[in-house]
Amino acid sequence: MDTVHDVVVVGAGPVGLAAARMLGRRGFSVLVLERWPEPYPRPRAVHFDDEIGRVFQGLGLAGPVKAISEAVPDHYEWRNAAGESLVRIDWSGLGPGGWPTASFFSQPDLEKVLAEAVEAMPEVTLLRGAEVVGVEERAEDVLVTYTAVGHRSARARFVIGCDGANSFVREHLGVGWHDQGFFYDWLIVDTIPLDERDWSPQNWQLCDPARPTTIVSGGPGRRRWEFMRLPGETREELNTAEKAWELLGPWGRTPENSRLERHAVYTFAARWADRWNRGRLAIAGDAAHQMPPFAGQGLCSGLRDVANLCWKLDRVLRGESAFALLDTYTSERRAHLQHAIAMSVELGRVICVLDERQAADRDRRMIAGGADPARVLPVSALPVLGDGVLADSPATSTLRGTLAPQFPVGRAGQRALLDDATGDGAVLLTLDEVSEDFDGRAFTIGTDLRDPDGAWARWFEAHRLRAVFIRPDHYIFGAVTDLADTKELVARYRDLVTTATGEPISCV
């Protein structure tokens, strides 16, 4: 007989496992189907930022994730062939999300943390060696057929495709692509150094037209090099262990002082699907978009996807919101993602220059700009969500749809980051007591929540705010400069998420 679940997640990479944990923690039955019988043991993604650290914190995995990652102690630098700095991006210290601005890890280690967490949950079943071969949308459910010791099937109220760039779920949706036409082949070489060495700066790019090269951390105890394929080279010539050692040679890396963990040629692309959800189906992560790795936002974007989708799906599955709420997943995330892709592409255009004259022109321009990202890179605005669950009026337009900070607070005599003190769900933060308590989810800075570092007071003052309304995914629904407008702000949120409220969608 078919098994019955609230949600089937296709794909057990970090995005799929995170989605399963988010939904399992909300009490839903989740089946995760992964085509490969064992986790892939080689490195792939290596970076997450402070926003994504906050996502891991919300999954209850702050400690285990910090244990397998390392924070960047300095800057992310881009140099020309002469060693001159073209751009310096400060990655040191804590970001506004309360986590290190940038952290590096090895993907197998992260997947192990996530897999162990979901396997310990009674609400979640992780089934490996189960390739999805059919998705049939029906009036009251989705029938998912998969191979696992023969053909099996499961019924679900909703299906999330986190099944990578060649997504089966996306193919079933039949959606098109918006492609930026940015394609370059790079050889990725992951190593484990066997010697002691100070890597400073820890992460940088060599913008040398003779061979553009990336040198970054691969997580604790690992280093990664990425080498651009040159004209006249084939992918097959580039993707050998012998070629990897040849390219590592000038960097002092040899079989005597390093272990070669992986070498693979990737084609960097910049594109996104036209639509990310329809009916009872949605896609996330690489199934919905791909981007060059130069800004380190590939995995981050996928985890933002499921953070956005899962709080809305929670409401729909419970019958608190209509299916139409899920359409804001596509409209919000697709627009937001384009900032990450634009930044990645612009950084790619800095490094992927093989013409010496063009490289010299680039170098002069960027050096004249003082290597300041705000001056030498055209993408500088804060990423903002597209149309969706966002306030219209009254609201501060500069903050609406941006990520809220997570400064420390004090509560019950304990110091904690905001989310740990307030818990899951939407939150109203104010500088003064208000009669609108938002079902107990309103907190006043200074009384309900202490401001031990004064960071919240400075932030409210800098934006001339009296109250800010933060969604469950930590993005700002809206903010007001007059406390009298708070009631209208909360009412507008309720209206947007509960319009045309439906019955809980069943799977019977």
Side-chain angles (χ1 to χ4, degrees), residues 37 66 102 125 128 139-140 191 220 265 278 318 348 351 372 460 485:
K66 287 180 178 179
T125 300
R128 299 188 184 274
E140 295 184 345
T191 70
V265 174
R278 186 192 66 213
R318 295 184 192 283
I351 190 173
D372 180 359
F460 272 87
D485 293 325

Side-chain angles (χ1 to χ4, degrees), residues 21 74 107 140 149 207 260 289 302 313 348 435 443 448 453 457:
R21 180 139 176 105
D74 49 21
Q107 185 167 332
E140 295 184 345
V149 192
C207 302
L260 186 62
H289 46 75
L313 185 57
S435 58
F443 300 88
D448 299 321
D453 302 330

Side-chain angles (χ1 to χ4, degrees), residues 50 79 123 158 161 174 177 183 212 227 247 250 287 298 306 368 370 430 490:
D50 61 303
R79 300 173 180 171
E123 301 88 352
F158 202 84
W177 283 103
F183 296 101
F227 303 98
L247 294 173
V306 291
T430 69
V490 172

Side-chain angles (χ1 to χ4, degrees), residues 234-257:
T234 67
R235 291 171 58 93
E236 292 72 24
E237 291 170 341
L238 196 59
N239 192 22
T240 67
E242 293 74 17
K243 188 65 174 181
W245 285 119
E246 175 190 328
L247 294 173
L248 288 171
W251 301 93
R253 298 292 92 192
T254 68
E256 287 69 40
N257 62 25

Side-chain angles (χ1 to χ4, degrees), residues 96-387:
W99 278 63
T101 301
S103 298
F104 280 76
F105 65 96
S106 176
Q107 185 167 332
D109 292 341
L110 177 62
E111 289 186 358
K112 184 173 186 290
V113 167
L114 291 167
E116 289 178 350
V118 301
E119 287 177 320
M121 302 177 73
E123 301 88 352
V124 181
T125 300
L126 172 57
L127 186 59
R128 299 188 184 274
E131 181 177 2
V132 174
V133 295
V135 175
E136 180 186 349
E137 298 173 80
R138 306 189 298 194
E140 295 184 345
D141 61 18
V142 182
L143 182 65
V144 180
T145 306
Y146 59 94
T147 58
V149 192
H151 281 69
R152 298 184 183 180
S153 57
R155 288 185 290 151
R157 298 198 280 167
F158 202 84
V159 173
I160 307 175
C162 304
D163 46 344
N166 298 314
S167 168
F168 181 88
V169 178
R170 186 190 65 241
E171 290 300 314
H172 179 80
L173 281 173
V175 297
W177 283 103
H178 180 91
D179 201 308
Q180 297 285 76
F182 184 94
F183 296 101
Y184 291 95
D185 291 338
W186 285 66
L187 173 68
I188 314 300
V189 181
D190 287 293
T191 70
I192 298 178
L194 304 177
D195 56 349
E196 295 292 332
R197 177 170 172 178
D198 180 26
W199 302 94
S200 181
Q202 189 187 75
N203 308 285
W204 64 289
Q205 301 278 352
L206 174 62
C207 302
D208 183 353
R211 174 81 75 175
T213 303
T214 299
I215 310 97
V216 296
S217 168
R222 290 179 165 85
R223 296 295 296 173
R224 168 174 289 183
W225 276 262
E226 301 178 0
F227 303 98
M228 185 174 169
R229 183 173 67 85
L230 301 178
E233 286 182 328
T234 67
R235 291 171 58 93
E236 292 72 24
E237 291 170 341
L238 196 59
N239 192 22
T240 67
E242 293 74 17
K243 188 65 174 181
W245 285 119
E246 175 190 328
L247 294 173
L248 288 171
W251 301 93
R253 298 292 92 192
T254 68
E256 287 69 40
N257 62 25
S258 299
R259 180 157 66 87
L260 186 62
E261 193 172 22
R262 183 190 73 143
H263 61 86
V265 174
Y266 278 78
T267 299
F268 297 162
R271 58 184 183 173
W272 60 86
D274 293 333
R275 186 172 181 84
W276 300 8
N277 72 289
R278 186 192 66 213
R280 296 175 183 267
L281 304 179
I283 53 176
D286 287 350
H289 46 75
Q290 291 105 55
M291 69 188 71
F294 304 114
Q297 289 300 303
L299 174 68
C300 296
S301 296
L303 290 169
R304 290 188 189 101
D305 295 343
V306 291
N308 184 298
L309 174 63
C310 286
W311 77 265
K312 297 171 182 175
L313 185 57
D314 175 32
R315 294 189 60 92
V316 172
L317 292 176
R318 295 184 192 283
E320 297 171 352
S321 298
F323 251 107
L325 177 64
L326 299 180
D327 291 337
T328 66
Y329 165 59
T330 288
S331 61
E332 289 180 359
R333 283 294 304 135
R334 187 177 57 195
H336 190 274
L337 167 90
Q338 291 173 37
H339 178 277
I341 287 186
M343 176 62 78
S344 300
V345 168
E346 290 303 328
L347 290 174
R349 286 174 177 157
V350 172
I351 190 173
C352 296
V353 176
L354 301 179
D355 182 271
E356 291 185 3
R357 181 175 298 178
Q358 292 179 6
D361 290 342
R362 171 202 65 197
D363 295 354
R364 282 191 292 271
R365 176 183 65 82
M366 299 185 77
I367 292 171
D372 180 359
R375 296 175 62 190
V376 302
L377 297 178
V379 181
S380 58
L382 286 174
V384 181
L385 296 176
D387 292 339

Side-chain angles (χ1 to χ4, degrees), residues 407-410 418 422 427-433 442-452 454-460 466-468 470:
F407 303 129
V409 296
L418 176 71
T422 60
V427 172
L428 176 67
L429 294 183
T430 69
L431 282 185
D432 303 285
E433 296 285 353
F443 300 88
T444 302
I445 300 294
T447 55
D448 299 321
L449 301 174
R450 300 296 178 184
D451 189 10
W456 283 107
R458 290 191 296 272
W459 185 79
F460 272 87
R466 305 308 297 174
V468 60
I470 305 172

Side-chain angles (χ1 to χ4, degrees), residues 74-78 87-89 91 203-205 216 294:
D74 49 21
H75 51 273
Y76 182 31
E77 186 170 3
W78 298 56
V87 63
R88 289 167 60 96
I89 303 172
W91 273 3
N203 308 285
W204 64 289
Q205 301 278 352
V216 296
F294 304 114

